[in-house]
Amino acid sequence: MSDIVFTLDSKLQLSYISTSVTKMLGYPSGQVLREGLALLFNGEAYRRLMGSLRADMTLAVGKVKPYDHVRNIDLATQTQNGSPIILEVQCSILHNEKGAIEGILASCRDVTQRRLIEQEARTASEVFDNSSEAIIVSNIKNKARISKVNKAFTSLTGYDSNSVIGSNPMQYMSKQNSKSVLRDVNRSLSKNGYWQGELNYMTKSGNVCPSWTGITALKDDNGQVQSHIIISSDISHRKISEAKIERLAYFDSLTNLPNRPQMHETLEKLMLESGQQLALLFIDLDRFKPINDTMGHPVGDQVLKEVAQRLEDSIRPQDLVARMGGDEFTVIMPALQNCLDPQREIENVCEVILRKIQQPFAIGERQLYLTASVGVALFPQNSISAMELLRNADTAMYHAKARGKNNVQFYIEEMNVKAMERLELENNLHLALLRNEFELYYQAQWDTRKNEICGIEALLRWHRPGFGLVGPDKFIPVIEETGLIVPIGEWVLRTACEQIMEWQEAGFDVPKLAVNLSARQFKDVNMLDGICRIVDETGVDPELIELELTESILMDDVDRTLAVLNEARKMGFKLSIDDFGTGYSSLSYLKQFPVNNLKIDQSFIRNLPHNLEDAQITRTIVSMANNLGLGVIAEGVENEAQRAFLQEVGCHKVQGYMYSYPVSSDVLAHDFLDSDHENEPDVEIDRSQLSKQDTFTPA
């Protein structure tokens, strides 16, 4: 026998034990008989066993049938060498012929392995039933019908277990699963016995539920597939998160248009298609920044949303409109090779875009007006690279802005040359201040009645390495756009103030010196503080500084302008309006501005006295200035006829080549500030004594 058999007498003393005890537990049967069952079972197991036997003996008292009570009990103990073992003990009460209890007959069986398997089975069952992942077991012998599902499957699909047992798992799969995926499942199971991937379930309510599913083929000892285990995780929330992330990655959150990355990706894919011809439109709104700055970003956002909608309404069904950022948009027009007239097709879309953008934007109770500038680059004509095509379209857009805005420009190669020149110019200007390449020239302002100098204007020049002296018309617009005008403007004022002090220390009598202020400088809230700091640090008298501003600067924000000008006058600075007559000053505002002088723009002086319109405008400005108690200076005076006309109409202060070119500080000091230098009245100054480097119109 492999099992251990033992008997106990009525007093529960061991009376017999089989020799199989040695084989199973390692103890000699004789030793066990001498020492008792306590040798085989540890303390806890022995107490359980004896307690159970006493209880059985008590219950059996008075019973007449033998073997009328059997008890099975599992006891954990160990063999003689210390190995753990589980023994199933089966006990029966022994009776004699009279029914009296004689003892107990018991057998012990090693159930260690069986209990381990049972425990694993229970654990597997618990895992199966309580797993958060849906599990289907299908029986291959039963035509792959479902034999078992867990609670998570019911939760995932809405079907209860009773209704799905015996059905085919495929009937719970959504038709959205492609045939190629299902073919891949069968192929992988046949080859590897396993498949993993994304499958969509169709729930009882008709909804599609995405899942991440693994399918395993279980085989018997002969390698034959017995069943399939299908384990699926609900990934609905993950798919929603992925969709949100994708939307953030590929769509603009404000306009819901495709964003820059998606535009690039689409453009690159299209450019790889054989025979593809396309156009890329780069669109930039004209004067959007003032709306954003003055009315706030919420209004700006509303405008951008409306622009996005108008652009979508302007394009063809196959086109893609994207927002690049800010007020910049692009449109990809693919498949132009299928059009009879691709050029006309592009122009039609651009015309619709410009027309729709020009329509008023109703924001609250306001109506806002915008235009757009459009640059067009063609593939493959202009570029075979997506980045270069975008850059070319951007370059063409800037040319559209340079041509007055609200128009369309197609890219041509010459544009890139100009763009590179402009970029090089910007880069050099960023370094010019650090390299001390700027210089101030000075032009005298002349009193024709007294025949003497009455003022000086400081004019900025740039000694660009390799190019010589560069005029302001070439670089002033660039430093205005880039914002460099603010630090450069401070340098101009500081240099001019230091020059005044240098002239005074040399004994020269210095008249007022005019310095131009740009729109960027004037809008800087710290402008006056900066000017005062420079004046204090150089020690110059503020009465000698005249700040020149254009009409457009003054009229941009009248209330602030009045406050700033009044503060500047209190500090002692003189003020003048430069290029007067070219802007749109309101006389009601003009009389409020605390300015000292008006400077008549040289465009009105150039054709005097023969042009009747210019003569009348000049006469009117002089008369108005005199009536308002303002000084008046005429710019661009180059000959005697102009001077005589101006003197006749009451303008006795002039500035121009007839009296002085813009010259260096030393030349101006020698020719105009030196008391030993005599000026002949009403006679043009000998130009041979002046600098001939300056051959362009002064700023």
Side-chain angles (χ1 to χ4, degrees):
M1 292 180 62
S2 60
D3 292 352
I4 301 172
V5 176
F6 65 87
T7 59
L8 302 174
D9 60 19
S10 59
K11 295 182 180 179
L12 299 181
Q13 296 296 315
L14 182 64
S15 57
Y16 168 80
I17 189 164
S18 63
T19 57
S20 55
V21 68
T22 306
K23 181 180 179 181
M24 184 182 296
L25 299 177
Y27 295 101
S29 57
Q31 181 184 358
V32 177
L33 277 172
R34 289 193 302 273
E35 298 184 24
L37 291 178
L39 180 65
L40 303 181
F41 300 99
N42 59 31
E44 178 60 29
Y46 181 74
R47 284 192 293 273
R48 284 189 59 207
L49 174 63
M50 300 310 291
S52 175
L53 294 177
R54 289 190 186 94
D56 290 343
M57 294 278 281
T58 302
L59 289 172
V61 173
K63 299 294 192 293
V64 294
K65 294 181 179 180
Y67 311 109
D68 61 346
H69 187 79
V70 177
R71 178 187 292 270
N72 291 346
I73 182 172
D74 282 0
L75 296 173
T77 184
Q78 58 187 28
T79 64
Q80 188 179 35
N81 62 11
S83 300
I85 190 171
I86 299 175
L87 298 177
E88 181 187 58
V89 181
Q90 188 178 58
C91 303
S92 301
I93 305 297
L94 295 179
H95 299 265
N96 59 19
E97 294 87 349
K98 296 180 180 179
I101 296 174
E102 288 190 339
I104 291 177
L105 171 65
S107 64
C108 298
R109 177 169 296 173
D110 181 2
V111 293
T112 306
Q113 193 63 30
R114 185 194 304 173
R115 294 296 182 260
L116 180 62
I117 292 171
E118 289 173 354
Q119 178 61 38
E120 289 178 348
R122 282 194 298 273
T123 301
S125 179
E126 286 292 322
V127 171
F128 181 87
D129 289 336
N130 298 298
S131 173
S132 60
E133 297 175 314
I135 303 175
I136 301 173
V137 180
S138 64
N139 193 328
I140 298 301
K141 292 182 179 179
N142 189 24
K143 298 180 180 180
R145 300 293 177 177
I146 295 175
S147 60
K148 192 174 184 181
V149 296
N150 66 349
K151 291 182 286 187
F153 173 84
T154 300
S155 176
L156 178 70
T157 64
Y159 294 99
D160 61 75
S161 59
N162 293 330
S163 65
V164 301
I165 300 300
S167 59
N168 192 317
M170 291 306 299
Q171 74 183 68
Y172 304 104
M173 299 297 169
S174 169
K175 293 181 180 179
Q176 288 187 4
N177 296 310
S178 66
K179 292 181 179 179
S180 62
V181 170
L182 298 179
R183 283 196 299 270
D184 183 51
V185 171
N186 292 327
R187 185 167 53 249
S188 183
L189 285 174
S190 299
K191 183 179 179 180
N192 305 316
Y194 183 74
W195 178 88
Q196 182 173 268
E198 192 172 312
L199 285 177
N200 295 313
Y201 282 89
M202 179 64 72
T203 67
K204 189 175 182 180
S205 59
N207 296 322
V208 175
C209 180
S211 75
W212 186 257
T213 297
I215 305 176
T216 302
L218 297 184
K219 299 179 181 180
D220 60 17
D221 294 339
N222 297 320
Q224 298 298 311
V225 177
Q226 298 297 302
S227 60
H228 285 146
I229 308 297
I230 305 170
I231 302 176
S232 302
S233 299
D234 183 358
I235 58 172
S236 301
H237 294 298
R238 194 186 84 188
K239 298 292 283 187
I240 293 172
S241 298
E242 288 175 352
K244 288 180 179 178
I245 292 171
E246 182 179 8
R247 184 137 199 99
L248 289 172
Y250 287 101
F251 289 88
D252 175 55
S253 59
L254 177 65
T255 63
N256 289 322
L257 291 177
N259 60 8
R260 181 188 291 266
Q262 186 178 168
M263 188 280 297
H264 274 287
E265 195 172 300
T266 303
L267 185 61
E268 288 174 344
K269 286 180 181 177
L270 287 169
M271 293 171 75
L272 291 174
E273 294 179 3
S274 177
Q276 178 67 254
Q277 294 181 24
L278 60 83
L280 180 64
L281 281 54
F282 199 107
I283 304 158
D284 187 89
L285 301 180
D286 302 325
R287 288 191 57 77
F288 173 74
K289 189 175 185 300
I291 291 176
N292 218 25
D293 291 346
T294 58
M295 303 187 69
H297 290 286
V299 171
D301 288 348
Q302 283 184 267
V303 171
L304 290 174
K305 288 179 184 178
E306 179 64 26
V307 167
Q309 185 59 56
R310 294 186 189 187
L311 290 176
E312 288 190 303
D313 294 341
S314 304
I315 61 175
R316 308 173 303 167
Q318 65 268 41
D319 297 340
L320 174 78
V321 58
R323 183 185 178 207
M324 302 297 286
D327 60 340
E328 294 179 338
F329 299 82
T330 56
V331 174
I332 301 174
M333 295 181 62
L336 293 176
Q337 68 272 15
N338 301 326
C339 301
L340 293 176
D341 188 350
Q343 178 87 6
R344 187 65 248 170
E345 188 90 355
I346 298 168
E347 290 173 353
N348 286 341
V349 171
C350 291
E351 287 171 7
V352 174
I353 288 173
L354 293 182
R355 187 169 64 251
K356 285 188 177 291
I357 298 298
Q358 280 182 292
Q359 295 171 6
F361 292 80
I363 307 296
E365 298 179 355
R366 298 173 182 251
Q367 280 198 331
L368 305 177
Y369 294 87
L370 287 174
T371 56
S373 298
V374 183
V376 182
L378 304 177
F379 170 81
Q381 295 93 321
N382 298 143
S383 175
I384 57 173
S385 156
M387 287 298 295
E388 188 178 356
L389 192 70
L390 179 64
R391 186 167 59 248
N392 291 343
D394 190 17
T395 299
M397 181 275 294
Y398 275 106
H399 277 262
K401 284 191 176 293
R403 287 178 174 266
K405 304 177 182 178
N406 192 32
N407 71 95
V408 179
Q409 292 295 315
F410 282 75
Y411 173 80
I412 56 176
E413 188 62 36
E414 289 78 5
M415 291 180 178
N416 246 349
V417 176
K418 292 181 179 178
M420 291 304 294
E421 288 176 354
R422 165 67 181 247
L423 182 61
E424 186 180 358
L425 183 67
E426 286 185 19
N427 291 339
N428 279 277
L429 281 168
H430 275 280
L431 298 171
L433 196 58
L434 295 173
R435 293 173 176 172
N436 200 29
E437 294 172 1
F438 289 115
E439 182 180 352
L440 283 190
Y441 271 43
Y442 301 89
Q443 188 173 32
Q445 296 169 344
W446 201 256
D447 187 326
T448 59
R449 188 163 48 188
K450 297 180 180 179
N451 196 30
E452 64 182 17
I453 188 171
C454 61
I456 305 169
E457 182 175 5
L459 302 168
L460 182 63
R461 300 294 182 259
W462 177 25
H463 287 276
R464 186 181 179 188
F467 290 84
L469 198 63
V470 181
D473 56 320
K474 297 292 192 301
F475 68 87
I476 291 294
V478 179
I479 62 176
E480 280 273 14
E481 291 176 19
T482 58
L484 286 170
I485 191 67
V486 175
I488 292 175
E490 289 185 3
W491 178 88
V492 168
L493 180 61
R494 182 178 294 276
T495 304
C497 290
E498 289 172 349
Q499 185 60 63
I500 291 174
M501 298 303 294
E502 185 178 324
W503 280 332
Q504 287 181 334
E505 289 172 4
F508 296 122
D509 185 14
V510 183
K512 54 120 176 138
L513 188 146
V515 177
N516 289 280
L517 290 182
S518 72
R520 279 282 186 98
Q521 287 175 280
F522 193 74
K523 288 179 180 178
D524 188 348
V525 294
N526 298 316
M527 179 199 69
L528 281 181
D529 291 340
I531 292 174
C532 288
R533 185 180 66 254
I534 291 171
V535 169
D536 289 342
E537 290 173 358
T538 57
V540 75
D541 183 356
E543 292 284 346
L544 294 177
I545 302 295
E546 183 171 77
L547 304 176
E548 290 191 1
L549 304 100
T550 62
E551 286 179 274
S552 57
I553 295 175
L554 297 176
M555 298 306 297
D556 191 37
D557 183 350
V558 174
D559 291 338
R560 179 181 178 275
T561 297
L562 282 169
V564 173
L565 295 185
N566 283 320
E567 187 65 26
R569 281 300 302 273
K570 288 179 184 176
M571 294 175 179
F573 299 105
K574 289 183 171 59
L575 304 169
S576 69
I577 301 179
D578 196 14
D579 300 335
F580 189 80
T582 59
Y584 301 94
S585 294
S586 168
L587 291 179
S588 62
Y589 285 118
L590 182 60
K591 66 181 182 180
Q592 297 180 53
F593 292 146
V595 296
N596 303 91
N597 295 298
L598 302 182
K599 296 185 73 175
I600 305 173
D601 188 69
Q602 59 184 318
S603 62
F604 301 117
I605 307 301
R606 187 176 298 118
N607 298 316
L608 292 180
H610 309 294
N611 186 296
L612 297 180
E613 290 182 355
D614 287 347
Q616 186 56 47
I617 290 173
T618 302
R619 191 178 285 111
T620 301
I621 293 174
V622 173
S623 176
M624 180 184 65
N626 290 334
N627 290 333
L628 291 174
L630 301 176
V632 60
I633 301 174
E635 295 182 300
V637 177
E638 297 188 353
N639 56 59
E640 175 60 25
Q642 293 169 345
R643 184 201 65 78
F645 175 84
L646 290 166
Q647 197 160 20
E648 178 187 336
V649 298
C651 179
H652 303 291
K653 293 181 179 180
V654 298
Q655 180 178 341
Y657 290 172
M658 179 177 177
Y659 292 94
S660 170
Y661 284 101
V663 294
S664 67
S665 59
D666 291 341
V667 172
L668 185 123
H670 175 268
D671 291 341
F672 295 97
L673 301 182
D674 192 343
S675 59
D676 295 333
H677 178 77
E678 294 184 0
N679 296 313
E680 297 178 16
D682 302 327
V683 177
E684 183 177 348
I685 290 177
D686 182 2
R687 299 191 183 193
S688 65
Q689 300 177 14
L690 304 177
S691 170
K692 293 298 185 290
Q693 294 178 341
D694 197 12
T695 58
F696 40 77
T697 304

